[in-house]
């Protein structure tokens, strides 16, 4: 994902946490915020140390980015959102990560209904 599509700064993360709303399932927590002057969505990823060592955390982040890249055309472009991976995510396959992420993004109304396409 391009840098323009990422929430990177601590200040931006805090704004989404404090002003946004949260949605969760067993594998992910998602915070969403609707800023006004934006042409595309921005996403922040958080994978804590409870998930595993640095190699495992980076692998999980790559999986999440791959799913988000695949679904990018179906994501509401006005949003900033943060995806937090829960520790139980580390042993899942790509398809399991994808289905869990689609589920929580639909709960948060980030993903349009077309987002349930299969490969």
């Amino acid at each position: 994902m391009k840098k323009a599509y990422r929430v990177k700064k601590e200040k931006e993360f805090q704004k989404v946490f404090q002003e946004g709303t949260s949605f969760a399932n067993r594998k992910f927590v998602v915070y969403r915020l609707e800023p006004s002057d934006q042409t595309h969505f921005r996403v922040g990823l958080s994978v804590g140390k409870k998930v595993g060592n640095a190699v495992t955390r980076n692998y999980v982040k790559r999986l999440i980015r791959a799913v988000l890249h695949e679904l990018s055309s179906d994501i509401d472009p006005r949003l900033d959102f943060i995806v937090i991976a829960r520790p139980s995510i580390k042993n899942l396959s790509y398809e399991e990560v994808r289905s869990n992420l689609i589920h929580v993004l639909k709960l948060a109304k980030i993903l349009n209904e077309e987002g349930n396409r299969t490969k």
Side-chain angles (χ1 to χ4, degrees):
M1 276 204 181
K2 295 180 181 177
K3 283 190 179 183
Y5 286 82
R6 295 186 198 161
V7 176
K8 293 289 278 182
K9 298 179 180 172
E10 179 66 21
K11 195 178 208 180
E12 295 168 343
F13 266 87
Q14 290 305 319
K15 183 175 182 181
V16 175
F17 285 137
Q18 292 170 358
E19 298 176 21
T21 54
S22 68
F23 301 87
N25 64 10
R26 291 177 186 251
K27 306 296 180 190
F28 295 102
V29 179
V30 172
Y31 285 84
R32 68 171 270 177
L33 179 66
E34 291 189 39
S36 57
D37 55 344
Q38 199 165 273
T39 59
H40 54 79
F41 71 90
R42 295 187 318 154
V43 63
L45 299 179
S46 176
V47 181
K49 286 187 177 181
K50 288 184 179 179
V51 172
N53 62 12
V55 174
T56 305
R57 293 193 308 268
N58 287 331
Y59 174 72
V60 168
K61 286 189 268 189
R62 282 195 308 271
L63 285 178
I64 295 169
R65 279 192 209 106
V67 172
L68 291 173
H69 182 71
E70 181 184 332
L71 301 171
S72 62
S73 62
D74 297 323
I75 294 175
D76 188 346
R78 300 168 294 146
L79 298 175
D80 279 356
F81 62 99
I82 295 174
V83 178
I84 302 170
R86 291 190 166 167
S88 59
I89 195 81
K90 64 183 166 189
N91 297 321
L92 298 184
S93 69
Y94 174 80
E95 287 301 320
E96 292 169 322
V97 169
R98 184 179 183 274
S99 65
N100 279 292
L101 194 54
I102 287 173
H103 175 256
V104 77
L105 291 176
K106 282 184 180 179
L107 283 177
K109 294 185 173 76
I110 292 171
L111 194 63
N112 301 330
E113 287 303 315
E114 297 84 46
N116 60 1
R117 296 189 304 250
T118 57
K119 288 176 116 179

